[in-house]
Amino acid sequence: MTRRWCRAAWLVCLLAGLLLALTGLAQSPAANRAMVLTLDDSINPATRDYVERGIDRAEAMSAELLVIELDTPGGQVESMRRLAQAILAAELPVATYVTPSGARAASAGTYLLYASPVAAMSPGTHLGSATPVTLGKASGEDANSEAMRQKMIEDAVATIRGYAERHGRNADWAELAVREAANLGAEEALDRNVIDVVATDLEDLMTQLDGRQVALADGAKTLSTQGIELVREGPDWRTSLLSLIANPVVAYGLLLIGFYGLVFELASPGTLVPGIIGGISLLLGLFAFQVLSIDLAGLGLVLLGLAMIVGEAFLPSFGALGAGGIVAFVIGSILLMDEANSAVAWPLIGGTALIAAGFLLWGVMRLMTVRRRAPLAGREELIGADAVALGDFSAGRGKVLLHGERWRARGEGSIHDGDKLRVTALEGLTVSVEPTPAPWEETR
């Protein structure tokens, strides 16, 4: 019976392997395919990863063309630059198509349009507003901040003009989009040589691109899109997860949950749940901060502040460590958050700081209460404790019962068996005692 089951399992594995092999052959590279990606979110590390993987898959299947359906308000400069580099270095033509009607290629989206070998738009769409915005912290009005802003603008102008000249498009208007946040509709963009095609839908776009020559990194290529098969690849779970944790506010919250989860696990070993949640959250938060453009000094201050706040609980310093930790935590949090997320982040930062301050105040008050409380154990606790004489004292020396234990004792005066005594001093293993005063004597 066992051998029969083994043979059956072997046959199933063999058939499954053959089926997978045949499926692979059926999906062998086709000569006339176009992959279609959808980028309808901000340009961030998650969407950049999605498009880069799409380019790799399109190249692996020897696709004729890759189409990026674009509708974006903009995004991070670093993600935009890396994505533009991937488009420029691609072995196949990339067509960035602003669609559907009402969509936009604002800010970083304008750079991607200019970087693409084919730039297309649907009627009723627009592009522009490509002026870079300072991230990380609010810019001031002093000379240094103005100089930094000017450097960013000049760098952005050089970048977008380079893209325009690479594909023979209107570089002067591209500079206006950066310096003056200019905008254009689809038809006007076509008239001013900002884009290549205005198409009503993908089929219309494929028809207009047939026979068109585009410039690639390794030379020019003539497109053949007549009767092309469109293969659509939407964002997968990986992109959705990265988009969620790439939000600075979410990454910040994951960092806090992870840190305090590990602290609770260390404080109560064996609980497991806080440790598991904390470990996963901390790793996700650190990964998100790795792909985000953040101020490393801010991240360091946040971690230092959290460590000092926790250290206050284990190394009581009457609030010095905790107060310093709260200050470092708040300053680091401000440096981490950009202007786009500061409105959402401030309640989170303030709430976390207030909770930490509350725990700090509670800890200091508890410490002061404990210091005022009479000792419950040790040498100090024995002074003033009640004892009972175990026999008559001879020459001022005898035995007493103290906390259920027999102790050597010495005392002045006449002390007899069963007398109630009070400890007045401790020298080595010998206690000094005296008779306990009567209640009316204590009152008096």
Side-chain angles (χ1 to χ4, degrees):
M1 188 69 177
T2 303
R3 295 182 61 186
R4 187 175 300 175
W5 276 107
C6 291
R7 289 177 181 176
W10 177 80
L11 286 174
V12 169
C13 292
L14 179 61
L15 291 174
L18 291 174
L19 182 61
L20 287 175
L22 292 174
T23 302
L25 291 174
Q27 293 181 349
S28 59
N32 206 27
R33 280 184 175 181
M35 180 175 288
V36 181
L37 305 179
T38 302
L39 203 169
D40 56 0
D41 196 356
S42 64
I43 298 171
N44 55 52
T47 51
R48 186 204 74 224
D49 173 78
Y50 162 63
V51 176
E52 287 177 345
R53 288 188 293 117
I55 293 175
D56 292 339
R57 287 196 298 271
E59 290 176 346
M61 65 184 288
S62 300
E64 177 73 12
L65 179 69
L66 174 71
V67 180
I68 302 174
E69 292 183 327
L70 183 66
D71 179 13
T72 180
Q76 298 172 353
V77 174
E78 183 61 26
S79 295
M80 177 275 296
R81 288 183 184 275
R82 290 182 56 177
L83 187 51
Q85 290 171 0
I87 291 173
L88 290 169
E91 298 176 1
L92 79 168
V94 177
T96 299
Y97 178 36
V98 185
T99 189
S101 181
R104 57 181 171 167
S107 190
T110 302
Y111 293 83
L112 291 188
L113 266 181
Y114 266 94
S116 301
V118 177
M121 299 176 71
S122 290
T125 59
H126 69 277
L127 80 161
S129 298
T131 305
V133 178
T134 304
L135 295 180
K137 43 188 175 292
S139 57
E141 297 299 330
D142 56 14
N144 289 334
S145 62
E146 183 58 31
M148 180 60 69
R149 180 178 180 275
Q150 190 62 33
K151 287 173 63 176
M152 292 176 59
I153 290 178
E154 293 300 329
D155 179 68
V157 167
T159 299
I160 201 168
R161 287 190 73 95
Y163 296 158
E165 292 166 1
R166 166 75 177 270
H167 300 298
R169 301 198 185 106
N170 191 332
D172 293 334
W173 185 86
E175 184 171 344
L176 284 178
V178 175
R179 295 190 185 279
E180 302 179 11
N183 284 266
L184 283 179
E187 296 295 341
E188 191 176 0
L190 182 63
D191 293 340
R192 299 183 65 170
N193 191 31
V194 172
I195 62 172
D196 306 309
V197 178
V198 173
T200 56
D201 52 30
L202 278 176
E203 287 72 18
D204 184 25
L205 177 63
M206 295 300 104
T207 300
Q208 295 190 51
L209 291 183
D210 188 47
R212 188 182 189 92
Q213 193 175 61
V214 295
L216 299 179
D218 56 355
K221 178 179 180 179
T222 301
L223 294 176
S224 176
T225 56
Q226 189 68 35
I228 197 168
E229 179 187 355
L230 299 177
V231 180
R232 187 173 292 276
E233 292 277 352
D236 54 10
W237 66 268
R238 170 191 172 102
T239 304
S240 301
L241 176 62
L242 288 178
S243 295
L244 176 63
I245 66 175
N247 184 307
V249 177
V250 175
Y252 181 79
L254 287 171
L255 187 66
L256 294 180
I257 294 172
F259 189 87
Y260 282 112
L262 293 181
V263 169
F264 290 148
E265 179 64 30
L266 292 175
S268 302
T271 310
L272 295 182
V273 174
I276 294 172
I277 296 175
I280 294 174
S281 300
L282 186 62
L283 290 176
L284 288 175
L286 291 176
F287 171 77
F289 280 119
Q290 178 186 1
V291 299
L292 288 171
S293 298
I294 62 167
D295 190 320
L296 292 179
L299 179 59
L301 282 171
V302 168
L303 295 176
L304 176 63
L306 291 173
M308 292 172 69
I309 292 171
V310 174
E312 177 66 36
F314 297 96
L315 301 171
S317 62
F318 290 95
L321 267 179
I326 292 173
V327 172
F329 170 78
V330 172
I331 295 175
S333 300
I334 294 172
L335 293 177
L336 276 182
M337 291 300 160
D338 58 39
E339 294 175 353
N341 295 281
S342 60
V344 180
W346 268 113
L348 179 60
I349 296 172
T352 306
L354 287 175
I355 292 174
F359 276 112
L360 174 63
L361 182 60
W362 175 81
V364 172
M365 293 177 63
R366 288 282 297 173
L367 180 61
M368 294 176 64
T369 302
V370 168
R371 288 181 66 88
R372 288 196 299 262
R373 185 182 300 167
L376 299 178
R379 180 186 182 93
E380 293 80 4
E381 186 271 339
L382 291 178
I383 308 302
D386 293 329
V388 177
L390 297 175
D392 297 338
F393 277 38
S394 175
R397 294 183 177 275
K399 302 282 187 178
V400 297
L401 182 65
L402 174 61
H403 289 340
E405 300 173 339
R406 294 172 62 92
W407 286 73
R408 291 195 300 267
R410 62 169 173 259
E412 301 294 335
S414 177
I415 298 177
H416 303 284
D417 183 24
D419 285 355
K420 293 183 178 180
L421 308 170
R422 176 181 296 171
V423 177
T424 58
L426 174 64
E427 296 179 9
L429 297 178
T430 302
V431 294
S432 298
V433 296
E434 64 180 9
T436 302
W440 57 85
E441 293 178 345
E442 289 187 334
T443 304
R444 189 172 57 192

